[in-house]
Amino acid sequence: MHLEVPGCPVVVDSMENSSNAAYGAYFDRLYILQEGKIVYQGGRGPEGYRITELRDWLDQYRETMGKSNNLVINV
C-alpha cells in the first residue's frame, strides 16, 4: 500500500503486539484515517472483517487520487 499510494501513511501493530498491549484493544479492526479523521472503520475482527469492502474503498481512493489531489471522499 505504501508503494502504490504515495502520501498515504500505513500504520500496523508490531509482531510484539505493543499497540494492543498499550491500548487494551480486544478486537482487531481495520481503519483508514485521513487528516486525523476516521474515514473507514471495519467491523470487529476477525468475524467482522469485510476485506472486499476495504478493497473497494481503497480502489475508489486510488481512482480519485488519479483524477484530483484535492478531492475528499466521504464514506
Side-chain angles (χ1 to χ4, degrees), residues 4 12 14-15 22 26 28 31-32 34 38 47 49 58 68:
E4 291 186 24
V12 297
S14 67
M15 292 301 291
Y26 292 96
D28 294 333
Y31 289 93
I32 298 174
Q34 287 183 322
I38 297 171
E47 297 86 12
Y49 286 166
L58 292 170
S68 170

Side-chain angles (χ1 to χ4, degrees), residues 26-42:
Y26 292 96
F27 300 99
D28 294 333
R29 283 190 186 254
L30 303 174
Y31 289 93
I32 298 174
L33 289 86
Q34 287 183 322
E35 298 179 15
K37 295 182 182 178
I38 297 171
V39 295
Y40 174 86
Q41 174 183 324

Side-chain angles (χ1 to χ4, degrees), residues 44-59:
R44 292 189 335 186
E47 297 86 12
Y49 286 166
R50 301 289 181 264
I51 300 301
T52 55
E53 181 181 272
L54 178 64
R55 172 171 260 147
D56 290 345
W57 193 99
L58 292 170
D59 286 343

